Amino acid sequence: MKHIPVPESKNPRLIIIGGGFAGIKLVKRLAKAPLQIVLFDRNNYHTFQPLLYQVATAGLEPDSIADPLRKQLEPVKNFFFRMAEVYSVDPGSQTIQTEIGEMSYDYLVIATGSKTNYFGNESIMANAFPLKQIPQALDLRSHILQNFEAATITDDPEKLESMMNIAIVGGGPTGVEVAGALGELKKNILPSDYPELDFDQMNITLLEGTPRLLGAMSEFASRKALKYLKKFDVHVQLNTLVTSYDGTVAKLSNGDEIKTQTLIWAAGVQGNFPDGINDGSVERGRLVVDEYSKVKGYENIYAIGDIAVMKSKEFPYGHPMLAPVAIQQGDHLAENLKRTFKGKPLKPFTYKDKGSMATVGRNKAVVDMGKLRFGGLFAWMIWMFVHLISIIGFRNRLIVFSNWVWNYFTYDKGTRLIIRRFIPRHRNNHKE
Amino acid sequence: MKHIPVPESKNPRLIIIGGGFAGIKLVKRLAKAPLQIVLFDRNNYHTFQPLLYQVATAGLEPDSIADPLRKQLEPVKNFFFRMAEVYSVDPGSQTIQTEIGEMSYDYLVIATGSKTNYFGNESIMANAFPLKQIPQALDLRSHILQNFEAATITDDPEKLESMMNIAIVGGGPTGVEVAGALGELKKNILPSDYPELDFDQMNITLLEGTPRLLGAMSEFASRKALKYLKKFDVHVQLNTLVTSYDGTVAKLSNGDEIKTQTLIWAAGVQGNFPDGINDGSVERGRLVVDEYSKVKGYENIYAIGDIAVMKSKEFPYGHPMLAPVAIQQGDHLAENLKRTFKGKPLKPFTYKDKGSMATVGRNKAVVDMGKLRFGGLFAWMIWMFVHLISIIGFRNRLIVFSNWVWNYFTYDKGTRLIIRRFIPRHRNNHKE
């Protein structure tokens, strides 16, 4: 395999796989460390995943939630970026194998995040819309808009039903947020865009397998979210699973069916890492790490973010797969690497829970923060503030903010554009 | 062929093909006319073509220059939009045939604009990058960025040369503007994004077949543009044609060659209209119309904008293919249609030339306005002002303005994102 060139360096080489929250934080905190840092990502940009659903629902364009990795990390000395998918790791020779060749490392950090989990259901994998990457969000947006265009000219009432209905599977934050955003589209935008269609015929259904929404949050948040979704005319079905989906009809565990050409799959994620790591270091698709983020059984391989499972008394199954955990682990690992170089003792990781939140739509969100639980307008403002300050890149913050102000005052969403028509045979062609 | 449904109406039906400057203006001016208006376009959005080059050069995202047609034309009563490509017109039965079925008309307006003209050169058509549509601009952007990523890992100096060089063919406004924007990228952005590359090795060449740039403007403008382009480190070769291009090497009429994987084709456009119009009504690929925009030989078929050639003493070969002509013809035809319904006599079209302009880059543009000719900062500010107020849609104006302010003060271009990798076998798969 071809050797990937990078400039010579006297410093040891740290390879990081993945430019998500964890990887970016780690690079930035190692800005002055005696290392040559090489970051691999299959995209040339970082994705701010918490707002991906707004790209799918015509609220934002990709540039609002994506930031070029090279630009973002330019100030870091000894930093190099290589755009490539990493296929495998060979811990024996200390190399990684990628689509553009191979490279050796002194330290390796796996920060590859998670991908959609279909739990082995092939009909769903083949026909549902996942929502983990920007091209997937753009495809979903195009598909929904194309369906409404097609609905204006169909004379088949069954087809019309399946074109107008949308089902979302998974009542976590992504499912709740995308359902709420679609409810807003139905209420404020679609009826004037498509005067020839009757939007009372459009059903938005959110399906959740457990007895409550937002299972990781408080009972209060679950109740409020359910109430808010009803206001946005979203039907919520709890304790319900989807057993199969052929692209037109979703079969449910209670025997019901939903006719829909749009099934959005937000029901689960799983680890996503290159080949070559010993099976003994893997648990339920994630990499087992110690409290220093070191992967079990290896001396110079680390894992941070969604891909890592770090068990503790407080988190017997590992931490939640959330951005704040990834950011804190990136920060913490950088600190420990610097300590290593200085011969100082390492510090174990402790997660500082800053609370969790989800938005449903205009003026409506829920927040759990320590023992505080609240909803409504104030929660919504906190949600917006926290997301705005968390977006990577100042330009992105400005653009998202301008878009939100515009959407708020005009009840408009500017990006209902079908830039590339979605063609069903390309469904799920974006490898995760 | 299936009949395309629209709601019943007592009014005669006007079908417009094409939601460009001419088509949109016409619909808006017929807002209260006793007509049922049906607009066909293969996209669900209007494209503000004058800024397309900024999408290609990482300055803007598509939503800045595209506006959903349904949203834009919502206030018009009796208006219906159908997203479809129109294949042909049958003047005998007064119907059009489209990808979604057929529809009959009482009046037909062809406003289909122009498409890239390769002058029959198949090697160029197969390998060059056109710049007429948003997906083409996104593909070009991805291709350029991917080339720099690939350049960082190549060890073949010839390949490196062809990856870094860019050639632009055609010294009209599009060619000049895209060359200037690439010069700015080279100067301000690429060297810090790709510290491992030597940008003295990057050559941007603008090729023009005639002895001067901006042939439709004054000699003053041509001279100034040439001078400005030199400042942005663009090599301009006048009196030079490209004779062939295989995707790696462009052969020139003077015997020279340019090694480049990126040849941008901005050398010409041609008419683009559906089948079925009598050959006697066509001249050099455009539809011959009288001073009332009526297509020669037909009573109820009109053509406006780039597709129409309306000869007069002042314009023996028809008007220039420019947005202001299209807008004024849309306006004028609406007026005459309303006069027809009121039994008033028709007015012939007269073009009010408001001048022409082109920008090269930061603080540098040229403007011809009546007998005035000027360049530099003032011209650049006028260029920006005129383009901002001309963009369709208030939201787009805001977003473009914010982006420009950001770019100006930070010397940054925010959208250097490879959202979908460009795959060469898909080159030119966007039908025009």
Side-chain angles (χ1 to χ4, degrees):
Chain A
M1 207 175 213
K2 184 184 170 269
H3 188 75
I4 305 168
V6 275
E8 297 260 325
S9 168
K10 289 170 301 186
N11 295 328
R13 182 181 297 149
L14 169 71
I15 292 182
I16 303 166
I17 312 176
F21 289 110
I24 282 197
K25 185 54 121 185
L26 177 63
V27 175
K28 287 190 172 174
R29 286 298 157 106
L30 289 175
K32 287 167 191 166
L35 284 167
Q36 179 181 61
I37 304 171
V38 185
L39 173 67
F40 282 83
D41 198 293
R42 65 191 155 184
N43 293 317
N44 79 333
Y45 54 85
H46 163 83
T47 305
F48 187 73
Q49 292 220 6
L51 293 181
L52 195 58
Y53 80 96
Q54 297 204 359
V55 174
T57 53
L60 295 173
E61 276 285 65
D63 72 331
S64 308
I65 65 157
D67 203 49
L69 285 165
R70 287 184 178 275
K71 177 186 116 191
Q72 188 54 231
L73 300 170
E74 253 162 41
V76 179
K77 299 292 156 223
N78 282 322
F79 169 76
F80 298 94
F81 174 71
R82 291 294 175 262
M83 187 176 79
E85 194 177 335
V86 176
Y87 298 139
S88 58
V89 176
D90 179 5
S93 64
Q94 300 201 164
T95 54
I96 60 165
Q97 288 73 44
T98 81
E99 61 174 307
I100 57 171
E102 66 176 13
M103 187 181 274
S104 65
Y105 61 80
D106 298 294
Y107 304 93
L108 177 67
V109 178
I110 303 176
T112 40
S114 57
K115 61 179 181 180
T116 307
N117 191 351
Y118 300 96
F119 304 102
N121 190 315
E122 285 185 19
S123 72
I124 294 173
M125 186 163 75
N127 297 302
F129 285 86
L131 198 46
K132 282 288 287 177
Q133 295 187 36
I134 288 176
Q136 293 171 345
L138 290 172
D139 281 350
L140 175 56
R141 183 211 286 177
S142 288
H143 169 79
I144 292 172
L145 294 171
Q146 282 172 243
N147 260 352
F148 285 115
E149 292 297 338
T152 62
I153 56 163
T154 187
D155 43 19
D156 177 337
E158 264 197 44
K159 263 198 179 166
L160 183 71
E161 206 184 326
S162 76
M163 283 166 177
M164 294 189 71
N165 288 342
I166 298 180
I168 303 105
V169 189
T174 301
V176 166
E177 287 171 355
V178 79
L182 290 168
E184 281 195 310
L185 274 178
K186 175 183 167 180
K187 196 173 158 189
N188 300 326
I189 289 174
L190 297 172
S192 43
D193 264 10
Y194 299 91
E196 53 265 77
L197 297 177
D198 171 10
F199 282 87
D200 289 342
Q201 288 186 275
M202 177 187 182
N203 292 307
I204 303 169
T205 311
L206 175 61
L207 300 154
E208 163 59 36
T210 75
R212 68 182 182 101
L213 297 174
L214 302 174
M217 293 183 67
S218 63
E219 292 272 1
F220 172 87
S222 306
R223 256 195 336 270
K224 279 275 177 193
L226 188 63
K227 195 182 109 190
Y228 294 157
L229 283 169
K230 276 187 186 155
K231 287 206 176 154
F232 286 107
D233 212 8
V234 174
H235 309 289
V236 178
Q237 270 185 256
L238 300 171
N239 301 306
T240 313
L241 298 167
V242 174
T243 54
S244 74
Y245 177 56
D246 64 1
T248 315
V249 176
K251 293 196 172 163
L252 310 186
S253 54
N254 60 9
D256 284 355
E257 289 185 351
I258 297 178
K259 286 199 190 70
T260 180
Q261 295 190 17
T262 313
L263 186 87
I264 302 169
W265 188 256
V269 291
Q270 60 184 322
N272 182 28
F273 56 88
D275 294 339
I277 301 291
N278 198 309
D279 281 352
S281 314
V282 179
E283 251 185 56
R284 283 191 274 177
R286 294 163 76 196
L287 301 176
V288 181
V289 298
D290 65 15
E291 56 198 344
Y292 309 102
S293 296
K294 198 172 279 188
V295 176
K296 189 179 161 189
Y298 298 98
E299 269 314 300
N300 57 352
I301 303 181
Y302 301 84
I304 49 178
D306 277 9
I307 193 62
V309 53
M310 184 193 288
K311 295 183 216 173
S312 62
K313 215 183 277 174
E314 208 187 336
F315 297 99
Y317 305 104
H319 299 89
M321 291 159 89
L322 292 173
V325 177
I327 292 167
Q328 290 177 36
Q329 288 183 345
D331 208 3
H332 168 259
L333 177 57
E335 198 51 49
N336 270 344
L337 285 171
K338 286 191 276 191
R339 286 177 160 267
T340 308
F341 303 138
K342 289 179 187 158
K344 289 188 187 170
L346 303 186
K347 285 186 173 174
F349 178 74
T350 50
Y351 174 51
K352 214 176 139 196
D353 186 357
K354 292 180 174 166
S356 50
M357 53 183 80
T359 188
V360 180
R362 174 180 290 264
N363 300 344
K364 291 186 176 52
V366 287
V367 172
D368 288 354
M369 207 178 270
K371 282 181 180 164
L372 285 175
R373 281 106 181 67
F374 50 97
L377 177 65
F378 184 54
W380 188 66
M381 290 171 74
I382 290 191
W383 182 92
M384 286 203 298
F385 177 75
V386 168
H387 280 77
L388 269 180
I389 60 163
S390 311
I391 295 173
I392 307 284
F394 186 69
R395 175 180 176 277
N396 302 36
R397 252 168 249 163
L398 269 184
I399 295 206
V400 170
F401 182 70
S402 327
N403 268 290
W404 285 356
V405 169
W406 176 262
N407 296 351
Y408 190 78
F409 287 107
T410 61
Y411 285 79
D412 187 25
K413 304 214 177 191
T415 66
R416 36 198 203 277
L417 308 167
I418 305 171
I419 295 294
R420 296 183 200 256
R421 288 205 196 183
F422 174 79
I423 302 160
R425 75 189 140 82
H426 291 146
R427 196 176 280 200
N428 284 335
N429 65 346
H430 303 292
K431 221 185 343 179
E432 284 186 62
Chain B
M1 208 175 212
K2 186 185 169 264
H3 187 75
I4 304 167
V6 275
E8 296 259 327
S9 167
K10 287 171 304 185
N11 294 329
R13 180 182 298 151
L14 169 72
I15 291 183
I16 302 166
I17 313 175
F21 288 111
I24 283 197
K25 185 54 121 184
L26 177 64
V27 174
K28 287 191 171 173
R29 286 297 156 107
L30 290 174
K32 286 167 190 168
L35 285 166
Q36 179 180 62
I37 303 172
V38 185
L39 173 67
F40 282 83
D41 197 293
R42 64 192 154 182
N43 293 317
N44 78 333
Y45 54 86
H46 164 82
T47 304
F48 187 72
Q49 293 220 5
L51 293 181
L52 195 56
Y53 80 95
Q54 297 206 356
V55 174
T57 53
L60 295 173
E61 276 285 68
D63 73 330
S64 307
I65 64 156
D67 204 50
L69 286 164
R70 288 183 178 276
K71 178 187 116 191
Q72 188 53 232
L73 300 169
E74 253 163 43
V76 178
K77 299 292 157 224
N78 282 322
F79 169 76
F80 298 95
F81 174 71
R82 291 292 176 264
M83 186 175 78
E85 194 179 336
V86 176
Y87 297 138
S88 58
V89 176
D90 179 5
S93 64
Q94 300 201 161
T95 54
I96 60 165
Q97 289 73 44
T98 81
E99 62 175 307
I100 57 171
E102 65 176 13
M103 188 181 274
S104 65
Y105 61 81
D106 297 293
Y107 303 93
L108 177 67
V109 177
I110 302 176
T112 41
S114 57
K115 62 179 180 181
T116 306
N117 190 351
Y118 301 96
F119 304 104
N121 190 316
E122 284 186 19
S123 72
I124 295 173
M125 185 162 76
N127 297 304
F129 284 85
L131 198 47
K132 282 288 286 177
Q133 294 186 37
I134 288 176
Q136 293 171 344
L138 291 172
D139 281 349
L140 175 56
R141 182 210 288 178
S142 289
H143 169 77
I144 292 172
L145 295 171
Q146 281 171 241
N147 261 352
F148 285 115
E149 292 298 338
T152 62
I153 55 163
T154 188
D155 42 20
D156 178 337
E158 266 197 42
K159 262 198 179 165
L160 183 70
E161 205 185 327
S162 76
M163 283 166 175
M164 294 189 71
N165 289 343
I166 299 181
I168 304 106
V169 189
T174 301
V176 166
E177 287 170 356
V178 81
L182 290 168
E184 282 194 310
L185 274 178
K186 176 184 166 181
K187 195 174 159 187
N188 301 325
I189 291 173
L190 296 173
S192 44
D193 264 11
Y194 299 91
E196 52 267 76
L197 296 178
D198 171 11
F199 281 88
D200 288 340
Q201 289 187 275
M202 178 187 181
N203 292 307
I204 304 169
T205 311
L206 175 61
L207 301 154
E208 163 58 37
T210 74
R212 66 183 183 101
L213 298 173
L214 302 174
M217 292 183 68
S218 64
E219 293 272 0
F220 172 87
S222 306
R223 256 194 336 269
K224 279 275 177 196
L226 188 63
K227 194 183 108 189
Y228 294 158
L229 283 170
K230 275 185 189 155
K231 287 206 177 154
F232 286 109
D233 212 9
V234 174
H235 309 288
V236 178
Q237 272 186 255
L238 301 171
N239 300 306
T240 313
L241 298 167
V242 175
T243 54
S244 74
Y245 178 57
D246 64 2
T248 315
V249 176
K251 294 196 171 161
L252 310 186
S253 53
N254 60 9
D256 284 356
E257 289 185 350
I258 296 178
K259 286 199 189 72
T260 180
Q261 294 190 20
T262 313
L263 186 88
I264 303 169
W265 188 256
V269 292
Q270 59 183 321
N272 183 27
F273 55 87
D275 295 337
I277 300 292
N278 199 310
D279 281 351
S281 315
V282 180
E283 252 185 54
R284 283 191 272 177
R286 294 162 76 196
L287 301 175
V288 181
V289 298
D290 65 14
E291 57 196 345
Y292 308 103
S293 296
K294 197 174 278 187
V295 176
K296 188 180 162 188
Y298 299 98
E299 268 315 299
N300 56 351
I301 302 182
Y302 300 84
I304 50 178
D306 278 6
I307 192 63
V309 51
M310 184 193 288
K311 295 183 217 173
S312 61
K313 216 182 279 175
E314 209 187 337
F315 298 99
Y317 305 103
H319 298 88
M321 291 160 89
L322 292 173
V325 176
I327 293 167
Q328 289 177 36
Q329 288 184 344
D331 208 2
H332 168 258
L333 177 57
E335 198 51 50
N336 270 345
L337 286 171
K338 286 192 276 190
R339 287 179 159 265
T340 307
F341 303 138
K342 289 179 184 156
K344 289 188 187 169
L346 303 187
K347 284 187 174 172
F349 177 75
T350 49
Y351 174 51
K352 214 176 139 194
D353 185 358
K354 291 180 177 167
S356 50
M357 54 183 78
T359 189
V360 180
R362 173 179 291 262
N363 300 346
K364 293 188 174 47
V366 286
V367 173
D368 289 353
M369 209 180 269
K371 284 181 181 167
L372 285 175
R373 279 110 183 66
F374 49 99
L377 177 65
F378 184 56
W380 189 66
M381 289 172 75
I382 289 191
W383 182 91
M384 286 202 298
F385 177 75
V386 167
H387 280 77
L388 269 179
I389 59 163
S390 310
I391 297 173
I392 307 284
F394 186 68
R395 175 181 176 279
N396 301 36
R397 252 167 250 165
L398 269 184
I399 295 206
V400 170
F401 182 70
S402 327
N403 268 290
W404 286 355
V405 170
W406 176 262
N407 296 350
Y408 190 77
F409 288 106
T410 62
Y411 285 78
D412 187 26
K413 304 218 177 190
T415 65
R416 36 196 202 278
L417 308 167
I418 306 171
I419 294 296
R420 294 182 202 257
R421 288 204 197 183
F422 174 78
I423 301 160
R425 75 190 139 81
H426 290 145
R427 197 175 279 201
N428 284 335
N429 65 346
H430 303 293
K431 222 185 344 178
E432 285 187 57

